[in-house]
Amino acid sequence: MPQSPAPLFETILYLTRAIRAGFELRVRAQGLTYARARLLAVIGHNQGASQAELAQRLDIETPTLKRQLDALEALGLAERRPLAEDGRKHAIFLTGAARIEPLLAFRAEVEAAFSDGIAPEDLATTRRVLARMAENAERLKRT
Amino acid sequence: MPQSPAPLFETILYLTRAIRAGFELRVRAQGLTYARARLLAVIGHNQGASQAELAQRLDIETPTLKRQLDALEALGLAERRPLAEDGRKHAIFLTGAARIEPLLAFRAEVEAAFSDGIAPEDLATTRRVLARMAENAERLKRT
DNA sequence: CGAAATCCATTAGCAAGCTAACAATCGTGC
DNA sequence: GCACGATTGTTAGCTTGCTAATGGATTTCG
């Protein structure tokens, strides 16, 4: 859309692409992406969870999660184990090769770079405003 | 990634999905999407422009634009005309069937709904902060 | 003028989101 | 106990973004 007062939506969409691109500069070579790193971290904090649980934590749909998990498994960073007590579910675990701390550090670096020259109180306001917009969006979805 | 102080990046990524979903609720039935509406509006303001020009205005790559333009052409909303003076370029035009005002109105509605309950000065701060973050990202890309 | 460089659009292929539809498994309830 | 419904994961297919590579047309430069 063309420029309104100030293209808020355009900026948000642009930042989404920039966040991914900035992060992936550092992890591309390892076969990782922003989404895969996010999944890796959530598995780490929820060892043994099912795919449905992970998808809920990540707020994505299960088919989207499946492909990312396939990729992590192919990279040897995560594994599916069948559950004896429920033939439908898989329990998902990190392998020993997975290390999530560097990924969190990369993400923090990108966030710091993007926040350069912005007053902390303005950043806090922005966090609050965007969280409220997300709530509003969530509420709309229910309708 | 898990929750840091406050997951700013997560919120931005989420809002991108919410913006698209909210907008597409209203235009899906006409074969439109947020990206296609954006392209339609830019064509309207740049009648006869080449695909490379449109891509630059939209800040997307030409292959991405090509597919969206193909879709608009299939819907009968835009057309490519060969240029006599340059055999490489196409001049892109809206057809008579294209109407962009309702699309701008839809976008404004979504923005208003998302902004509900947010103080105007906080919204202004957010716009400024996000614009700065986009600048920072842009600067990083050049490096 | 002709060769080299550049530009334009396209093709091909990857990743991340989504929805719809399905098979298999589990749980409930009659 | 068995049929029905709900849950789990998967497959298939769509859109939007990207990069890399290609063919054709133009521009530039020697």
Side-chain angles (χ1 to χ4, degrees), chain A residues 20 33 36 60-61 63-64 67-68 86-88:
Chain A
R20 281 206 249 256
T33 63
R36 289 174 189 176
I60 60 178
E61 301 302 318
T64 299
R67 276 181 323 206
Q68 292 168 2
D86 192 331
R88 298 167 300 179

Side-chain angles (χ1 to χ4, degrees), chain A residues 6-115:
Chain A
L8 180 60
F9 280 3
E10 311 295 309
T11 307
I12 290 174
L13 291 238
Y14 173 76
L15 282 175
T16 285
R17 292 188 288 148
I19 288 166
R20 281 206 249 256
F23 185 79
E24 289 173 12
L25 274 184
R26 274 128 154 171
V27 298
R28 224 10 172 173
Q30 313 159 35
L32 289 181
T33 63
Y34 189 84
R36 289 174 189 176
R38 207 164 85 98
L39 171 54
L40 214 49
V42 168
I43 296 174
H45 288 279
N46 299 274
Q47 295 269 13
S50 71
Q51 295 182 202
E53 280 179 271
L54 294 175
Q56 194 200 342
R57 293 264 189 295
L58 289 164
D59 197 28
I60 60 178
E61 301 302 318
T62 54
T64 299
L65 180 128
K66 180 217 181 291
R67 276 181 323 206
Q68 292 168 2
L69 182 55
D70 286 346
L72 292 187
E73 217 169 14
L75 289 168
L77 299 177
E79 60 175 343
R80 279 179 252 233
R81 298 187 202 152
L83 265 187
E85 63 265 33
D86 192 331
R88 298 167 300 179
K89 294 187 182 177
H90 297 155
I92 314 300
F93 293 90
L94 292 186
T95 67
R99 299 194 43 249
I100 67 178
E101 303 83 15
L103 303 176
L104 298 179
F106 288 154
R107 203 261 257 105
E109 278 177 40
V110 176
E111 188 162 334
F114 279 28
S115 304

